[in-house]
Amino acid sequence: MTRYRPRTLGLELAMIAAALVIGFPVYVLVNLAVRPASDTSSPLRPTSSPTLENFTQAWQQGSLGGALVNSVLVTVCSVAVVLAVSSLAAYPLARITARWSRATYLLVLLGLVLPFQLASLPLYQTMRDLGLLGTPWALVLFYSGLQVPFTVFLYVGFLRALPRDFEDAALIDGCTPLKSFRYVVLPMLKPITVTALVLNAVAVWNDFFTPLLYLSGSAQQTMPVAIAGFVGQYVTDWNLIFAALVISILPVLVVYFLLQRSIINGFAGGLKG
């Protein structure tokens, strides 16, 4: 039987302190989201008469319905393209040890170093020439290229930790490399795929600058841009902002909790590799 040691107590206290630090902003967010506008007390004081009216007003005044649809569309399409392209690109980069493969991998990783702001002007001109400005498809095309280097990096690290025995057996049985990847390797990539899915989805969902740039002047907007509309030069509706933030956070939280176990396995596999 394991004895309860002072070290265990210290670890428990540290975890409780970390939970309080992480949970404090969430408490303030929810507390102000359900607080009436007439209540001007301290944000730390629990709301005595909570209301859901802020959520209704935020949904109507900020046109959050259309913004939510656009954010879901952009996130789902972008992440699907990124995962498909990155997994297919990472497989030969991880398995082939030729010099050209290492050089190509380093070239892909260069995308992690160079800031995308350097290409903002030519990318904007390209989107304009393609007639995509003011549409969500401009964002899908942008994110599909922006997130690939990071995702390839995740896949290559995970693939290099996987044994090649099953792939070699499939090739001996007559599978082509593509079929071997589809039926043998891809199922084993589930943990890192889920991890990459969540990380990319959060990055795309929370981005503010790119939708503001490519959707400016149109009726289309995403959740971050719609929430920023509550911030005015003279008046700022903080209660509506916090209510809109709660609405924006909920879809990401739902996806995270549904895939929580796979996300942890993905991180553990990457650390182990």
Side-chain angles (χ1 to χ4, degrees), residues 29-42:
L29 172 65
V30 177
N31 188 42
L32 293 179
V34 298
R35 173 171 294 184
S38 58
D39 189 347
T40 58
S41 59
S42 171

Side-chain angles (χ1 to χ4, degrees), residues 175-218:
C175 281
T176 62
L178 185 59
K179 287 185 176 180
S180 175
F181 171 79
R182 178 181 177 184
Y183 295 107
V184 178
V185 178
L186 193 59
M188 293 189 293
L189 293 179
K190 180 182 176 181
I192 195 62
T193 298
V194 174
T195 302
L197 184 152
V198 173
L199 294 177
N200 283 292
V202 171
V204 173
W205 185 274
N206 292 332
D207 187 28
F208 173 78
F209 174 76
T210 307
L212 181 66
L213 179 65
Y214 291 127
L215 301 182
S216 178
S218 70

Side-chain angles (χ1 to χ4, degrees), residues 38-91:
S38 58
D39 189 347
T40 58
S41 59
S42 171
L44 304 182
R45 177 179 173 273
T47 302
S48 57
S49 55
T51 178
L52 298 179
E53 183 64 24
N54 293 330
F55 295 94
T56 303
Q57 293 184 16
W59 184 270
Q60 295 174 350
Q61 296 182 20
S63 301
L64 297 186
L68 184 63
V69 171
N70 286 333
S71 289
V72 171
L73 174 65
V74 171
T75 302
V76 171
C77 294
S78 300
V79 173
V81 173
V82 168
L83 293 181
V85 172
S86 300
S87 59
L88 287 171
Y91 181 56

Side-chain angles (χ1 to χ4, degrees), residues 36-175:
S38 58
D39 189 347
T40 58
S41 59
S42 171
L44 304 182
R45 177 179 173 273
T47 302
S48 57
S49 55
T51 178
L52 298 179
E53 183 64 24
N54 293 330
F55 295 94
T56 303
Q57 293 184 16
W59 184 270
Q60 295 174 350
Q61 296 182 20
S63 301
L64 297 186
L68 184 63
V69 171
N70 286 333
S71 289
V72 171
L73 174 65
V74 171
T75 302
V76 171
C77 294
S78 300
V79 173
V81 173
V82 168
L83 293 181
V85 172
S86 300
S87 59
L88 287 171
Y91 181 56
L93 293 177
R95 290 298 188 235
I96 299 176
T97 59
R99 184 174 300 177
W100 67 265
S101 178
R102 294 193 295 268
T104 304
Y105 180 57
L106 293 176
L107 183 63
V108 172
L109 293 186
L110 188 62
L112 293 174
V113 180
L114 297 177
F116 75 90
Q117 289 85 355
L118 293 176
S120 294
L121 182 58
L123 283 174
Y124 185 87
Q125 294 174 340
T126 302
M127 297 296 181
R128 180 195 61 193
D129 295 339
L130 293 174
L132 296 177
L133 287 181
T135 66
W137 304 113
L139 302 179
V140 172
L141 183 60
F142 176 84
Y143 293 127
S144 297
L146 179 67
Q147 299 298 119
V148 164
F150 172 70
T151 311
V152 168
F153 172 74
L154 293 178
Y155 272 117
V156 169
F158 193 86
L159 280 165
R160 286 176 176 174
L162 289 178
R164 303 185 58 168
D165 300 342
F166 296 105
E167 302 167 54
D168 294 338
L171 294 175
I172 293 175
D173 289 340
C175 281

